[in-house]
Amino acid sequence: EEEDEENGLEAWERAYADERSWESLQEDEYGLLRPIDSASLHHAQYRRRAQAVRIQKGLIRYLYVVIDLSRAAAETDFRPTRRAIVAKHVEVFIREFFDQNPLSHIGLAIIKDGVAHCLTDLGGSPDSHIKALLGKLECSGDASLQNALDLVHSYLCQIPTYGHREVLILYSALSTCDPGDIMETIQKCKKARIRCSVIGLSAEIYICKYLSDQTGGLYSVAIDESHLKELLLEHAPPPPAIAEFAAANLIRMGFPQRESETAVSICSCHQTAKVGGVYTCPRCKARICDLPTECRICGLTLVSSPHLARSYHHLFPIDPFIEVPQNSVNQKLPKACFGCQQSLINLGSNSIIRVACPKCKQHFCLDCDIYIHESLHNCPGCEGVR
């Protein structure tokens, strides 16, 4: 009792203070509880991703994130509420999306009161999207999946053929209140080659699964906050390109110059006067604020050279590293990781996984393997040989 008084928690408060930790418990083959090793879980998830087949991907993506803000988003099974957790992780997703897809664009839409509203148009500025989202988090009414699909279809059908059209729906409701036949809308999205994916926050719904299956998207249901974050970030890397539309295209792009910090000009995107930090379109000399984007005057795609460089690793990814058994007797294994110099020698019962680059044959620990493939996108051993 004294300890509880020191913590300042009532009995009913303590019931919610552990974040439902019992859901993370695991049993061994004898039915006994075993300690949770989050590092091992993270490594196992990475190894599953690394085993994926290397396929052609779409680098220029046009993605609409549709967020359900009906009354179901106010439920408290995700604490404090579903809408708060969704807003928190959508902010992380937007920044991660632009980090992995510098040539792509995102737009935001919300569903409330049976109507779909466009929050932001397709653009390449993460800060503007996040600011617009955090200012519109009120929940009310029912959700309408058909109205949301009609809204994003009206925007995405205007996208050029080289762009990959995608919709990611974060759906909290258990039903959809539609004005017409949603099956016709789904077929319309399928015909327009719009890839629709859904992440549910309540339970599996047939219409969401049907929508994903018909359009080639993914459907999953989040069981807790960490699972929701994991499902969201799975949509950050470019998806596989559709085979019949995967032909190479030449795209005309412009590389605008940045004006001096003291120059005063009116940007064409916001139509306001700004001092410094704007770019000049090389074709029509219009001023724009952020890159990448499309010129509002002449329609030219405007990018910078770092944006193209950061897309390079999707075209030519590093080969997956090969796991090396520790008891190999045919060769003398290095004692330390080539990347971080951590010891790769097993001590006692702690087994250390080592992997080797198939090209330069250097050995790495698993943490360096994850960092190289998911962040660095260059092998230190191969770069050292060059």
Side-chain angles (χ1 to χ4, degrees), residues 336-349:
C337 168
F338 184 79
C340 65
Q341 301 303 309
Q342 174 187 336
S343 174
L344 294 176
I345 301 175
N346 288 334
L347 298 175
S349 60

Side-chain angles (χ1 to χ4, degrees), residues 195-377:
R195 183 178 187 264
C196 302
S197 299
V198 184
I199 297 178
L201 280 83
S202 51
E204 183 171 313
I205 308 172
Y206 169 76
I207 192 62
C208 294
K209 185 175 179 60
Y210 179 80
L211 168 66
S212 302
D213 291 342
Q214 288 293 308
T215 59
L218 302 175
Y219 178 50
S220 47
V221 178
I223 58 176
D224 54 29
E225 182 179 348
S226 60
H227 189 217
L228 173 63
K229 180 180 179 181
E230 179 185 336
L231 293 175
L232 259 176
L233 294 181
E234 284 181 358
H235 293 274
I242 303 175
E244 56 186 303
F245 305 109
N249 290 290
L250 292 176
I251 305 170
R252 187 182 297 274
M253 291 186 174
F255 296 87
Q257 291 185 345
R258 186 183 178 95
E259 293 191 353
S260 64
E261 296 298 328
T262 58
V264 180
S265 55
I266 298 178
C267 70
S268 60
C269 40
H270 299 94
Q271 297 181 357
T272 57
K274 294 194 175 183
V275 180
V278 298
Y279 301 87
T280 303
C281 174
R283 176 188 283 173
C284 67
K285 307 304 179 184
R287 270 65 172 178
I288 41 97
C289 297
D290 298 304
L291 296 178
T293 186
E294 287 187 0
C295 179
R296 295 292 184 93
I297 307 301
C298 65
L300 180 66
T301 301
L302 303 175
V303 297
S304 65
S305 53
H307 289 140
L308 290 179
R310 283 163 52 196
S311 301
Y312 179 84
H313 66 267
H314 291 305
L315 296 175
F316 305 98
I318 303 176
D319 293 333
F321 289 175
I322 303 169
E323 186 171 342
V324 179
Q326 290 283 8
N327 55 357
S328 179
V329 295
N330 297 328
Q331 56 178 339
K332 186 178 180 180
L333 301 179
K335 297 182 179 180
C337 168
F338 184 79
C340 65
Q341 301 303 309
Q342 174 187 336
S343 174
L344 294 176
I345 301 175
N346 288 334
L347 298 175
S349 60
N350 295 329
S351 60
I352 298 177
I353 299 176
R354 67 165 71 212
V355 293
C357 174
K359 293 182 179 179
C360 66
K361 309 301 181 184
Q362 296 290 355
H363 287 214
F364 298 89
C365 65
L366 194 53
D367 288 327
C368 285
D369 181 17
I370 297 174
Y371 176 68
I372 288 170
H373 282 87
E374 297 195 345
S375 300
L376 191 61
H377 304 296

